[in-house]
Amino acid sequence: MGQRGEPRRVQAYDGELGAAVEGAQEGDDAAFAVAYRLVQPGLLGYLRGLVGDDAEDVASDAWLEIARDLGRFKGDGAGFRGWTATIARHRALDHLRRQRVRPRSSALEQDVLDLPGPHSTHDQALESISTGQALKLVRALPRDQAEAVLLRVVVGLDGPAAARVLGKRAGAVRTAAYRGLKRLARQLGAEGVTDDAHRTLGESK
C-alpha cells in the first residue's frame, strides 16, 4: 500500500532487488552485482543532484560502505534503496564539507551542508528528470524540493522512506516533492501535471 504511488519501474524491480540483497548477504558476488545494477542508476542521479560532477567518486565511496555494512542491513528491496540513499547522502555531505573552502556554484550544494548528517506526475516530467538538463533544473530548486524530488523520482522512494532519509515528516517531503515537480513540469513544458501529481505523491496533510 505504501508503494502505490511509486513509479511502475521501481515496483517492478523491488522483488528482484530484495532477492539479490539476500543473496549478497550470504556471500553471493553475482547477487551483489545484481543489487548494484538495480540501485546504482537512481543513486547516481541522486548524487548528481547533490554534488554534480563528483557524483561518481561519492558513489564509489558510498558503495564501499554499503558493501562493508551489508550484513547489518535488515529489510526488503524498497528498504535497501532507502538504506543506500541514506549512506550516499552522508557521503555527499562529507564531500561537500571537505570542499567547503571552494566557492559553491549551486544553491543546493551550499544549503545541503546545513542539513542533519545522520509519482507519475506526468510521464514527460518524470522521464525528463533523469536527463542532465533536468538534473540542473532540480539543483536550482529550493533545497527541500530538490532533495525530495531526487529521492522520490530518481531514487524511487515512497514518502515515508524519503522522509526517513531526510529526517523530516512524510507529509513535508510529499509536499516539497509535489511543489518541486510542479515547478519542473512547468519548466520542462509538461501539461496536466497538477491533478496527477497530487494523486501520485499523496496528500500533504
Side-chain angles (χ1 to χ4, degrees):
M1 184 174 179
Q3 296 178 0
R4 183 175 55 191
E6 292 187 34
R8 286 187 297 275
R9 65 181 182 274
V10 170
Q11 292 178 341
Y13 74 54
D14 266 351
E16 183 184 357
L17 177 57
V21 171
E22 284 184 24
Q25 289 179 315
E26 294 170 1
D28 186 340
D29 290 341
F32 185 85
V34 170
Y36 175 87
R37 175 176 59 81
L38 292 172
V39 171
Q40 172 68 353
L43 208 62
L44 197 57
Y46 176 48
L47 288 171
R48 283 198 183 107
L50 295 180
V51 300
D53 293 339
D54 295 330
E56 295 271 4
D57 291 340
V58 175
S60 295
D61 290 342
W63 278 105
L64 286 173
E65 184 173 342
I66 290 164
R68 184 194 71 198
D69 295 342
L70 185 61
R72 291 160 45 189
F73 170 74
K74 290 180 174 55
D76 57 8
F80 186 73
R81 284 188 288 113
W83 182 67
T84 55
T86 299
I87 289 174
R89 184 173 187 265
H90 290 166
R91 296 292 69 77
L93 293 176
D94 289 343
H95 175 80
L96 291 174
R97 289 186 183 102
R98 286 195 299 271
Q99 300 299 318
R100 203 164 191 171
V101 293
R102 297 191 325 206
R104 308 279 7 136
S105 59
S106 163
L108 176 60
E109 288 176 355
Q110 184 65 47
D111 292 347
V112 79
L113 292 169
D114 300 322
L115 292 173
H119 232 307
S120 167
T121 57
H122 188 283
D123 288 344
Q124 179 182 349
L126 286 181
E127 293 307 317
S128 296
I129 287 171
S130 63
T131 68
Q133 174 201 7
L135 279 174
K136 289 180 182 177
L137 294 176
V138 170
R139 294 177 72 187
L141 292 172
R143 181 194 69 205
D144 62 330
Q145 294 179 17
E147 281 215 270
V149 167
L150 290 167
L151 288 171
R152 295 282 279 123
V153 178
V154 180
V155 180
L157 301 184
D158 62 15
R164 284 192 292 274
V165 172
L166 297 174
K168 295 183 176 181
R169 293 180 179 178
V173 173
R174 284 194 298 268
T175 299
Y178 168 65
R179 289 174 178 166
L181 284 170
K182 206 170 148 187
R183 182 178 299 191
L184 283 175
R186 285 198 301 268
Q187 293 172 326
L188 292 167
E191 297 178 356
V193 165
T194 304
D195 292 341
D196 197 23
H198 205 61
R199 285 197 301 272
T200 296
L201 295 178
E203 299 293 334
S204 62
K205 294 180 181 178

